[in-house]
Amino acid sequence: MSAPLLDVRDLSVAYGRAEVVHNVSIQVTQGALVTVIGANGAGKTTLLNALMGLLGARGAITFRGRPIANVPLEARVQQGLCLVPERRELFADMPVEDNLLLGGIRRSRAERNQTLEQVFSQFPRLKERRRQLAGTLSGGERQMLAMGRALMARPTLLMLDEPSLGLAPRIVRDIFQILTELRASGVSILLVEQNARAALQVADYAYVMELGAITTQGSPAEIAQDSRLVESYLGLGGNDY
Amino acid sequence: MAALRSFAPAIVAALILIAPFTGWLPDYWVTLFNYIGISSLVAIGLVLLTGVGGMTSFGQSAFVGFGAYTTGVLTVHFGVSPWLTLPAALLVTMAIAAAVGAVTVRLSGHYLPLATIAWGIAFFYLFGNISWLGAHDGLPGIPALRLGGHQLIDPKEYFVVVWVAVVLAVIATQNLLNGRVGRAVRALRRSTRAAEAFGVNTAAAKLLVFVYAAMLAGLAGWLYAHFQRSVSPGPFGVVAGTEYLLMAVLGGAGRVYGAILGAAGITVLRDQLQNLLPWLFGHTGNFESIAYGAVLVLVLQTASNGLWPILFGPPPPPKPPTPRDGDALPAKTLPAPGARLLQVQDARKTFGGLIAVNDVNFEVESSRIIGLIGPNGAGKSTTFNLITGVLPLTSGAVAFDGHPLQAQTPQRAAALGLGRTFQHVEIVPDMSVIENVALGSYLLGRAGVFRAILKLDRAEEALLFATARRQLQRVGLAEVAMQPAGTLALGQLRLVEVARALCLNPVLLLLDEPAAGLRVGEKKALAKLLREVRAEGVSVLLVEHDMDFVMSLADRLVVLDFGTKIAEGVPAEIRKNPAVLEAYLGGVA
Amino acid sequence: MDTTIFLFLLQDGVINGAVYALVAIALVLVFAVTRVIFVPQGEFVAFAALTVAALENGRAPSTPWLLLALGILAAIAEVVWHFRDLTVKRIVRVALLDLALPVALLWLTLALAPMKLGQLVNILLAIALITPMGPMIYRIAFEPLAHSSVLVLLMAAFGVHFSLIGLGLVFFGPEGSGTTPLSSASFSLGDLVVTGQSVAVLIVTAALLVLFALFFGRTLLGKALRACSSNRIGARLVGIPTSAAGQFSFAIAALLGAVSGILVGPLMTVFYDSGFLIGLKAFVAAIIGGLVSYPLTVIAALGVGFAEALFSFWASNFKEVLVFTLIIPVLAWRSIYAPYHEESE
């Protein structure tokens, strides 16, 4: 088998003295949709921010065969690594179209215009609202815009942080539908989710993160049967305090 | 060794005061040291204002000017004795600082320093344009200080005056910082929210620091006027104000002794540059200004914490006093178990179009532990903030012990007996653990600024620290009491927050994710403590993500999702509730 | 006060206000992109005016020497701070922009100055000499502090101001000078005499403001700069290099400063340190605009100019006192109604 697209070895992240991610190792193979699930506070967001380069970290990150642990964020974007952050981080006072065009700022004008059409066909809703300010969009539209903006950079690996957060179930279904389509179109995806059932339904492989460490991994079917999952969410583990 | 340590400052102070008379110090350096001492006073004020209180001021030089001009006008125009103008100079700076500060300290973020620049410049031009202040030429002929018939003109004699003032300022400032109000002031910069939650009126505390710093500057101005024997607007502009700020930063903002180090460093540097650079470059220019700016930028780039911490490391924490036997703080009577304590009725909070809390209803009875749970973004923290007065309600009502909390403020919540912890730990990292905990009993003490400065607050302080020590023991952290809080792990800090909340003598404890980051053993200890507290009659409202923890502890659970209450009941019911399962595990299928 | 005096004051105020507006929008831009409250912005104004003045007298100004000095410092800073990731590309860029460019401009200045080629050449040369100083200063002083708080950056800005004032005295000397008006025509409008210079100031300012609006509204580069201020994390996530954005904003600031200097040169005698007060008054306008809104800043700048003219008529001694006191109620109001959230450290 060929080397994985993203290979993370023994990654640790600390805020000041407090280490919140401990020796995490994960792999994403080309074309796969891999998910990291876990309860609130497990360190999932921190892990993604470190992979993107927003946070410093110890350990090795190899992307497309090259070490990127010391590469600045903008160069990681150039190499095809993109993050849709939990808080969306849109340019609220700018129109939808400008948000998207800025997403493709590292690409050539021709590529940018071509990708814009693709994104508009993937998210017709965004095309309807192309002149509207990003700050006036609904929660679901914002999530779509955040994803569209990341896709404008033509990522090889798209990382998403809790795309379902704060969205109504029907919209969550739409978002996950789009994720499956994206994977079918050849984009590899690393999905971090609290919404475990939704994530496991679309994933090829899953990691469970608890208290900053990966505690379980396997195919979604195996994980879903694992009683530890329910435990880690609803505390049925019988730990009595 | 301990005795030596406690006498060390006194010995150093004595050595400083006799230094000029030993003959080792040339007059040139004595004069320089006089200027260092005068600047130190301003810098000590800035350490308090900026380093401790978090308010950056570029305008301290204006207060030096008020001190200097007050004595200048009174002595030159009215022939008042210089010693009598000292209280006048202090009163004038105090009054002006109170007026300016009332507007300034309420400003947030970078608006505050910008405002200090603006009024700093305005005062500078004011000094230069008022004819009875001598306008741009200033006031010459200010008399020297006199002792009996002797004029203190010799720099060596004036040295004693200046450095006695500096030593007194250091002692007063240290005493102030180590007292009850001082702890509140030290919490202003990093944990304003915590200070407010324990009853500190932060606006008043900020104004207090502002006026105190201004009065030190006024004292410096008075000393300056009688040493220089004339005043003119030049040294009171914003450039000088920046220089004082640079002294405080260079020494190590937040360190009182650092202020003296910084003042010495800058004064000597400027002096040497004035001598050296023209010699190097052959003609006079503003070379010192160039070098000076470069030093400022380099210090910020390489040692933004200043020189003092680099040279001398962290300060030893002050030793808390021990109480006399029999003294105790008054205890609070708690309501009978089962009585209605907190009622949340149709509470609603909207942010713009987003409904964060949607008509939520629940009650907390006394001697109960109630868990508030829900997935990320469900509105738990917002509900918490509505109860504690951090956020105002959009509609609905919250009542506590019969009092409606319509105009709730954090201070009022504290006075009613709501003790809380924070989701993102709010502690003062460079204060010792026990001092952080003692902040919790702020409302149980009375001692103010003057008692602290004169060290008349020791008996009360002893009681406050005894309470703090007892609560630290209860959470199992007695052995780290004297460590700086910043050196503790996150889990321990959560326990420090619990101890601090217990110091308030609370009726209701509001805990925001207290178990996050705790190890299993620590969680067990915390659960035991919370049961103990409940048995004593205190209620607990608990936001928690560790389900094992909250389920085994809570008498009842309230579940929120999308800001709406979706379930309420005993833990066993909640575990089986389909709506709750759906909310947590997702129901896309 | 009669109408004539009022109109005269209005003209005076609007012209000063127009210059403050250019300086103020530069301050807003720099703050939005880099969070630096750029106190020394006024120095560009003074240095540009002094450069043009020297060129008009057929003397070579010291500006290229100052530029070379800054270039050498920037090159040193680059090598020191990026010692570990020095690439050939980086070294070539440093050699070209920080060393070769100033040397070329120095040679050009020395060659052109004695020829007295006229106003247009003088102006273009001054702009070419001042503009590169912006990014150099950013790289020397502010880039290493990019992650610091606004306050640390503000103090560093004061440091840069002190150094630049000192350098200004060394390179330009203590004498003040004025420059030839862009237009010496004048015409009457009722009782009011309108000078060609005033019209020129207004036209140039208006044109620059329109260009500025077009740049930020229409070009992707301009939008990328806006994105940096709209959402810093978002801007980083789409791959906008923050360092390049910072340098670019400083270049625009220096350019606007240079143009302002060319405009004020004929209106007053400019000294090496005249820029500070101009900068501070622009600053009042920028703060009234909340350090975010360009239109509000321009209106505030015109207001500051007009207030200054009025104050100098009524109480000329207390002109500065009043102008700077003006800001306090505005700050208080902003603080209450538009609370700014403390930055986390």
Side-chain angles (χ1 to χ4, degrees):
Chain A
M1 206 180 111
S2 65
L5 177 67
L6 177 76
D7 192 356
V8 181
R9 300 272 159 163
D10 293 328
L11 193 81
S12 298
V13 191
Y15 290 108
R17 292 163 164 273
E19 194 177 273
V20 286
V21 169
H22 324 286
N23 298 322
V24 164
S25 299
I26 58 172
Q27 282 85 40
V28 180
T29 42
Q30 177 76 49
L33 196 165
V34 174
T35 184
V36 177
I37 55 177
N40 204 338
K44 306 183 301 291
T45 296
T46 308
L47 170 66
L48 279 197
N49 286 346
L51 292 180
M52 192 63 228
L54 282 167
L55 289 174
R58 278 185 298 112
I61 310 172
T62 313
F63 181 60
R64 299 167 81 177
R66 275 180 291 189
I68 59 160
N70 294 318
V71 169
L73 195 159
E74 64 253 25
R76 295 188 202 196
V77 175
Q78 186 84 46
Q79 289 176 20
L81 188 63
C82 276
L83 171 67
V84 181
E86 181 181 338
R87 293 155 47 90
R88 324 311 195 220
E89 311 290 2
L90 299 173
F91 308 121
D93 53 357
M94 296 165 89
V96 167
E97 187 165 346
D98 284 352
N99 269 273
L100 291 173
L101 289 174
L102 284 168
I105 195 162
R106 308 291 295 194
R107 303 287 167 224
S108 72
R109 177 186 290 265
E111 256 185 319
R112 195 159 52 226
N113 291 335
Q114 189 197 346
T115 322
L116 184 66
E117 288 315 310
Q118 282 170 20
V119 169
F120 276 151
S121 64
Q122 245 154 353
F123 301 94
R125 195 60 172 272
L126 293 181
K127 189 167 189 177
E128 287 165 30
R129 315 236 154 181
R130 62 199 291 176
R131 307 250 171 263
Q132 202 172 321
L133 295 187
T136 64
L137 297 178
S138 71
E141 289 163 348
R142 281 182 210 206
Q143 183 57 48
M144 289 179 195
L145 179 55
M147 287 167 67
R149 187 179 71 179
L151 289 173
M152 286 295 296
R154 297 180 161 245
T156 316
L157 175 63
L158 183 65
M159 305 194 288
L160 298 104
D161 194 355
E162 309 255 2
S164 75
L165 182 65
L167 301 183
R170 189 177 49 80
I171 300 167
V172 173
R173 199 151 45 223
D174 293 349
I175 298 278
F176 278 82
Q177 178 61 39
I178 292 166
L179 287 184
T180 12
E181 287 167 21
L182 280 177
R183 193 201 36 179
S185 74
V187 180
S188 313
I189 295 173
L190 178 60
L191 170 69
V192 152
E193 257 300 341
Q194 229 191 124
N195 189 332
R197 281 194 193 149
L200 290 177
Q201 275 177 358
V202 294
D204 300 309
Y205 196 79
Y207 295 88
V208 179
M209 200 164 173
E210 279 180 275
L211 294 176
I214 299 290
T215 50
T216 314
Q217 56 177 293
S219 73
E222 289 161 16
I223 299 279
Q225 317 248 306
D226 192 333
S227 61
R228 280 193 61 88
L229 175 66
V230 184
E231 273 168 40
S232 86
Y233 277 84
L234 280 184
L236 297 175
N239 262 335
D240 208 11
Y241 290 103
Chain B
M1 191 57 208
L4 187 70
R5 200 167 181 142
S6 60
F7 281 115
I11 296 168
V12 172
L15 282 179
I16 290 173
L17 291 179
I18 57 167
F21 301 101
T22 55
W24 295 339
L25 214 54
D27 273 0
Y28 174 78
W29 282 92
V30 173
T31 304
L32 205 58
F33 269 99
N34 285 344
Y35 284 116
I36 291 172
I38 291 171
S39 301
S40 296
L41 288 170
V42 188
I44 290 170
L46 265 175
V47 159
L48 210 61
L49 190 65
T50 304
V52 178
M55 291 170 281
T56 305
S57 169
F58 288 84
Q60 290 311 97
S61 51
F63 294 120
V64 181
F66 281 113
Y69 273 110
T70 305
T71 188
V73 167
L74 288 177
T75 51
V76 173
H77 292 328
F78 299 97
V80 180
S81 150
W83 293 110
L84 292 180
T85 62
L86 175 57
L90 292 179
L91 280 174
V92 168
T93 25
M94 184 173 88
I96 290 168
V100 171
V103 184
T104 310
V105 298
R106 288 177 184 276
L107 300 175
S108 50
H110 52 260
Y111 288 138
L112 195 153
L114 295 180
T116 66
I117 295 175
W119 54 248
I121 294 172
F123 283 135
F124 169 73
Y125 282 106
L126 197 65
F127 293 143
N129 284 295
I130 295 178
S131 54
W132 46 274
L133 293 184
H136 286 291
D137 302 325
L139 283 175
I142 295 176
L145 295 180
R146 283 169 174 281
L147 267 183
H150 179 68
Q151 289 200 325
L152 298 173
I153 295 180
D154 185 347
K156 281 184 197 142
E157 293 164 5
Y158 209 78
F159 181 96
V160 178
V161 179
V162 168
W163 284 90
V164 163
V166 174
V167 169
L168 288 178
V170 168
I171 294 171
T173 307
Q174 297 279 38
N175 286 351
L176 171 65
L177 282 177
N178 289 335
R180 167 178 162 272
V181 176
R183 279 192 297 280
V185 167
R186 286 153 80 191
L188 286 178
R189 190 161 73 104
R190 294 290 190 81
S191 25
T192 316
R193 296 200 314 146
E196 289 181 342
F198 292 99
V200 178
N201 180 343
T202 45
K206 284 181 173 179
L207 187 58
L208 171 90
V209 184
F210 190 82
V211 171
Y212 182 85
M215 287 174 75
L216 280 180
L219 173 62
W222 180 82
L223 285 168
Y224 175 84
H226 292 290
F227 183 53
Q228 191 82 9
R229 311 276 303 280
S230 67
V231 288
S232 60
F236 310 128
V238 140
V239 172
T242 315
E243 202 170 299
Y244 291 127
L245 192 57
L246 178 55
M247 289 174 186
V249 171
L250 181 71
R255 305 300 177 78
V256 174
Y257 295 114
I260 301 174
L261 182 71
I266 295 295
T267 311
V268 171
L269 176 76
R270 186 184 48 189
D271 187 71
Q272 292 303 305
L273 288 174
Q274 268 166 352
N275 296 339
L276 184 71
L277 290 176
W279 177 78
L280 269 182
F281 293 100
H283 64 106
T284 51
N286 229 351
F287 292 110
E288 76 269 16
S289 171
I290 305 174
Y292 207 55
V295 169
L296 175 47
V297 172
L298 277 176
V299 165
L300 291 171
Q301 286 179 348
T302 53
S304 55
N305 287 327
L307 294 179
W308 188 269
I310 294 176
L311 295 177
F312 302 100
K319 208 167 148 279
T322 37
R324 283 174 308 186
D325 290 336
D327 281 1
L329 288 168
K332 194 169 254 174
T333 44
L334 292 165
R340 268 190 194 174
L341 202 57
L342 179 76
Q343 287 167 280
V344 179
Q345 286 168 346
D346 297 330
R348 173 185 280 261
K349 181 70 193 175
T350 56
F351 297 106
L354 180 80
I355 304 174
V357 175
N358 187 5
D359 297 341
V360 168
N361 286 294
F362 66 92
E363 287 184 2
V364 178
E365 300 83 10
S366 57
S367 298
R368 297 279 185 277
I369 297 179
I370 309 296
L372 187 59
I373 64 170
N376 211 348
K380 305 179 298 288
S381 288
T382 310
T383 307
F384 226 73
N385 286 334
L386 292 176
I387 296 170
T388 48
V390 173
L391 291 172
L393 282 162
T394 305
S395 66
V398 178
F400 181 72
D401 206 7
H403 304 276
L405 301 182
Q406 245 69 19
Q408 176 75 305
T409 62
Q411 289 88 349
R412 197 157 162 246
L416 286 170
L418 277 83
R420 70 168 298 184
T421 68
F422 294 87
Q423 186 185 357
H424 301 288
V425 171
E426 294 256 343
I427 53 113
V428 188
D430 43 10
M431 207 151 85
S432 69
V433 171
I434 192 161
E435 287 177 292
N436 267 289
V437 174
L439 183 65
S441 51
Y442 179 82
L443 283 180
L444 305 184
R446 298 244 145 279
V449 180
F450 292 104
R451 276 166 72 186
I453 288 178
L454 300 173
K455 277 214 163 188
L456 298 174
D457 60 346
R458 293 295 98 184
E460 179 184 293
E461 283 287 283
L463 290 178
L464 298 184
F465 275 100
T467 312
R469 190 177 302 278
R470 198 164 57 244
Q471 301 302 353
L472 266 180
Q473 264 157 8
R474 290 182 85 177
V475 300
L477 290 175
E479 69 276 23
V480 295
M482 301 308 286
Q483 284 184 24
T487 60
L488 267 55
L490 189 65
Q492 290 175 306
L493 289 179
R494 293 200 178 279
L495 296 177
V496 169
E497 285 214 331
V498 173
R500 185 176 62 187
L502 285 171
C503 267
L504 182 80
N505 272 353
V507 181
L508 172 64
L509 262 184
L510 296 130
L511 305 180
D512 204 343
E513 300 195 27
L518 295 195
R519 286 191 285 268
V520 176
E522 291 169 328
K523 280 184 195 171
K524 285 196 167 139
L526 177 63
K528 182 164 162 283
L529 172 67
L530 292 181
R531 287 195 181 99
E532 247 172 65
V533 164
R534 172 173 62 184
E536 287 163 16
V538 177
S539 320
V540 180
L541 181 63
L542 187 67
V543 167
E544 186 50 69
H545 280 293
D546 184 326
M547 289 301 159
D548 280 339
F549 185 79
V550 72
M551 296 243 176
S552 51
L553 200 57
D555 297 303
R556 210 173 65 243
L557 292 172
V558 175
V559 191
L560 296 182
D561 193 22
F562 289 112
T564 310
K565 185 170 92 173
I566 56 168
E568 180 169 1
V570 296
E573 290 167 17
I574 295 296
R575 277 188 170 138
K576 286 180 241 143
N577 187 315
V580 177
L581 284 168
E582 160 99 13
Y584 269 90
L585 289 172
V588 176
Chain C
M1 185 195 308
D2 61 30
T3 332
T4 320
I5 296 180
F6 181 80
L7 285 176
F8 175 76
L9 292 178
L10 187 66
Q11 175 181 241
D12 213 30
V14 166
I15 293 165
N16 284 336
V19 175
Y20 296 153
L22 285 185
V23 179
I25 57 169
L27 288 174
V28 174
L29 169 66
V30 164
F31 179 77
V33 178
T34 64
R35 296 178 308 134
V36 175
I37 296 174
F38 192 53
V39 182
Q41 173 68 15
E43 266 72 89
F44 294 138
V45 179
F47 293 176
L50 291 169
T51 305
V52 174
L55 288 169
E56 279 178 359
N57 291 327
R59 283 187 291 115
S62 311
T63 329
W65 293 104
L66 178 58
L67 182 67
L68 183 60
L70 288 174
I72 290 170
L73 277 176
I76 293 172
E78 181 98 12
V79 171
V80 169
W81 291 108
H82 297 280
F83 191 70
R84 270 188 269 168
D85 44 7
L86 273 184
T87 53
V88 177
K89 202 171 135 195
R90 193 161 217 150
I91 293 170
V92 170
R93 205 175 54 204
V94 166
L96 281 180
L97 288 178
D98 296 339
L99 304 174
L101 177 71
V103 169
L105 283 169
L106 174 64
W107 174 79
L108 196 66
T109 310
L110 292 177
L112 293 182
M115 294 156 74
K116 286 202 182 188
L117 287 176
Q119 203 166 28
L120 185 65
V121 174
N122 294 347
I123 288 172
L124 290 178
L125 193 56
I127 291 175
L129 285 169
I130 299 290
T131 307
M133 289 183 185
M136 285 175 184
I137 289 171
Y138 174 73
R139 282 167 42 220
I140 296 166
F142 299 108
E143 201 182 338
L145 292 169
H147 300 290
S148 310
S149 68
V150 172
L151 286 178
V152 168
L153 292 167
L154 175 58
M155 277 191 271
F158 263 98
V160 172
H161 162 68
F162 291 149
S163 287
L164 281 180
I165 286 286
L167 288 168
L169 182 59
V170 171
F171 283 97
F172 295 106
E175 303 81 22
S177 37
T179 56
T180 328
L182 298 173
S183 150
S184 48
S186 73
F187 55 93
S188 304
L189 216 71
D191 292 337
L192 187 71
V193 179
V194 179
T195 61
Q197 175 67 19
S198 333
V199 178
V201 168
L202 289 184
I203 291 175
V204 172
T205 304
L208 271 180
L209 290 178
V210 168
L211 276 179
F212 204 72
L214 286 177
F215 173 69
F216 284 103
R218 297 290 165 82
T219 66
L220 194 64
L221 190 58
K223 286 172 185 170
L225 287 187
R226 269 171 62 203
C228 288
S229 57
S230 167
N231 188 322
R232 199 166 295 275
I233 296 177
R236 293 187 65 195
L237 285 177
V238 300
I240 297 171
T242 38
S243 160
Q247 290 184 45
F248 195 76
S249 68
F250 268 73
I252 296 183
L255 173 75
L256 288 173
V259 174
S260 315
I262 289 155
L263 293 179
V264 294
L267 296 174
M268 59 188 269
T269 309
V270 178
F271 296 88
Y272 72 98
D273 60 352
S274 298
F276 187 44
L277 265 189
I278 298 175
L280 282 175
K281 283 173 193 162
F283 206 54
V284 173
I287 291 164
I288 294 174
L291 287 167
V292 268
S293 161
Y294 294 104
L296 210 56
T297 302
V298 172
I299 293 168
L302 292 173
V304 169
F306 185 52
E308 192 187 6
L310 276 185
F311 292 149
S312 57
F313 177 73
W314 280 328
S316 78
N317 279 347
F318 297 99
K319 179 179 84 171
E320 321 286 7
V321 179
L322 292 169
V323 169
F324 287 106
T325 317
L326 211 62
I327 202 178
I328 307 272
V330 177
L331 285 174
W333 181 81
R334 281 213 161 266
S335 203
I336 294 164
Y337 293 100
Y340 167 85
H341 295 285
E342 299 267 347
E343 287 179 86
S344 48
E345 290 190 44

